Each structure stands twice: as structure tokens, then as C-alpha cells.
Amino acid sequence: MRVVRYAYRIPMLAWHVLVHLPPVMLALSLPLARRPLASGEPLGHRLTRWWQGGLMRVFGMRMRQVGTPLPGGTLFVANHVSWMDISALHSQRMMGFVAKQEIDGWPVVGRMARRGETIFHRRGSQESLGGVLQEMRARLRDGRAVGVFPEGRTRDGRSVGPFHARIFLAAVEAGVPVQPVALRYGAGGDDQRAVAFQGRENFLQNFLRLLGEPARVVDVVFLEPVMAGEAEGRAAIAKLARERIVEA
């Protein structure tokens, strides 16, 4: 069956990248991308969500939104299972992610990340982290959403790692809510380990393996937000957000 799935998904992927992506990228570069639709969502955000949702469908991922994402300036924090996490979240709610600086130089992907309002961070650089936090504060105060993976890296899917509290400082200083988001691959999260990187598997190997995997449900669970005053300080907010994600 893996061979059969490759036979129809590879053409679907090629069509989605070569036919659908160029007009989306062009539209995102034009002023009309900021034009609000009847729902109030900017056209560019809707196009981004549409394309990312389509990419998930190419991989056989059936997206389900549970709960409601907060509008406006919100810090969304999620568990980190796979490179697919950004597409899964973007398919449900537009947000600018914090990502490693190396992605900016990747062909096609780097340009897509920039159009997706990504904030790039040089790992290990305190100066870079300070600039990231400053940009996050500015966006949150401007009513724009930011998404982060407080674990700092993907894991093997067996558990949720500790959350780094410093990244929550931007929400504390901007005075905006933090909404935890649980990403569950497979029914009840049974496929977390299957989607995560296996052993020394690199991105390309994982990408190709997942392209041939059976169809599965992906739940994007928007949990009860941590509001200002509910938890004192960034460490307490990080702890409460992680507890809610683990419970889900």
C-alpha cells in the first residue's frame, strides 16, 4: 500500500507546490494580502491557511480543530512533535512562528517562512534571543498572534519535554493571554511516535516516509488560555501551559 500511496501522493505534492504555491506567494507579496475578508481575516492569512491545509491533505492528514483559537494578540504555545506542526497550526490559525535562522536560507522553504511572518532566531545567541523577544512583544502589542514551541526542539513522540520559561516573557510584558495548543497525531495521539523523527532520520527521510504513511487524523486542540493574573510570572505560566497540553 505504501507504493500505491506514493503513486498518487507524489503527483498531488508536485501539483500543490508547482501550481498552487506560485500564485499564493505572488498574492502574499501584494498589498491586497492585507485586505480583510468578510470574516475580518486578512486575505493573506486565509491563503496561507488554505495552502498549509492542502499540504496536510497531500500527506493524508485529516485535520480536526478542537476548541477555539483566541483572536488578536495571543501567544500560542504547542508541543513539538514534527516539522509538520507548523503546517498543522497554520491550517487552523495564522500566527508568526519563531524558527531557527538556518531555515531562512533553505530554497523555497525559506521564502515561504518569510511570507508566513516567521521570526528567525540564531540558536545559542543571547543577542538574537533578545531581538526575538523584542519582535514578539511588538507583534503581540500590535494585536498579532505569535506561535512558539517552548520545548525548543522536536522529540521522539513519547512525552512532552520541559518548557523554557524565558520565551513566555514576551506575553507577560505585552500583557496578552497565552493559549496552549495540544497537537495529537492519530486517534487519541496514538501516532505521535510514528510522525516524529525516527532515530537518526533526517528531514528528507522523514518527509519521504510520512508521504507514504497511512491516512490519519490530526487534532489541533486549542485549550483554555492562561490569562493575565492567573499565574504569577513566566515560569508559572510555562508550567500551567505545559500541564494543560500534557493532560490533553
Side-chain angles (χ1 to χ4, degrees):
M1 288 304 298
R2 177 173 289 272
V3 173
V4 173
R5 287 190 286 269
Y6 281 136
Y8 67 84
R9 285 182 184 169
I10 289 176
M12 287 173 61
L13 178 63
W15 182 273
H16 196 55
V17 172
L18 299 177
V19 178
H20 289 165
L21 184 58
V24 169
M25 295 292 287
L26 176 61
L28 291 177
S29 68
L30 300 175
L32 64 84
R34 296 189 293 272
R35 181 175 299 173
L37 302 172
S39 62
E41 181 182 27
L43 174 62
H45 290 187
R46 176 68 60 84
L47 288 172
T48 299
R49 291 199 303 107
W50 171 82
W51 195 88
Q52 294 281 35
L55 181 64
M56 296 298 285
R57 287 191 294 275
V58 167
F59 280 81
M61 304 292 181
R62 301 192 298 272
M63 305 304 301
R64 295 194 310 198
Q65 179 180 306
V66 181
T68 304
L70 293 179
T74 304
L75 180 64
F76 292 94
V77 299
N79 54 308
H80 205 3
V81 182
S82 163
W83 60 268
M84 283 189 153
D85 296 344
I86 289 179
S87 292
L89 287 163
H90 262 169
S91 71
Q92 308 302 311
R93 170 69 156 88
M94 181 62 191
M95 58 190 79
F97 284 93
V98 177
K100 60 183 180 181
Q101 182 68 44
E102 292 85 344
I103 292 176
D104 191 27
W106 292 1
V108 182
V109 176
R111 187 177 179 189
M112 289 172 59
R114 289 191 296 275
R115 295 298 184 197
E117 303 180 4
T118 300
I119 303 170
F120 293 107
H121 168 52
R122 292 192 306 278
R123 288 180 176 177
S125 170
Q126 293 300 311
E127 181 180 356
S128 174
L129 180 57
V132 166
L133 289 170
Q134 183 178 357
E135 177 63 21
M136 289 174 63
R137 282 194 302 269
R139 293 192 187 190
L140 292 169
R141 286 170 176 164
D142 193 39
R144 299 160 65 189
V146 176
V148 298
F149 300 107
E151 293 169 273
R153 62 178 177 85
T154 57
R155 296 178 182 271
D156 60 7
R158 290 184 173 90
S159 62
V160 178
F163 279 11
H164 299 287
R166 187 174 180 184
I167 203 72
F168 290 82
L169 182 61
V172 172
E173 294 182 344
V176 301
V178 173
Q179 186 165 25
V181 187
L183 297 173
R184 296 192 305 226
Y185 293 89
D190 291 342
D191 292 339
Q192 303 289 88
R193 292 177 63 183
V195 173
F197 288 92
Q198 308 289 305
R200 296 186 177 182
E201 190 176 54
N202 60 34
F203 170 79
L204 180 59
Q205 291 168 333
N206 181 267
F207 184 97
L208 293 175
R209 178 174 62 80
L210 293 181
L211 192 60
E213 288 280 303
R216 51 175 52 99
V217 170
V218 182
D219 290 332
V220 182
V221 188
F222 291 92
L223 300 162
E224 180 184 356
V226 183
M227 308 302 291
E230 185 177 354
E232 190 67 33
R234 64 192 186 188
I237 295 174
K239 180 175 182 293
L240 186 54
R242 183 182 180 278
E243 287 174 352
R244 290 180 181 174
I245 289 173
V246 170
E247 183 180 359

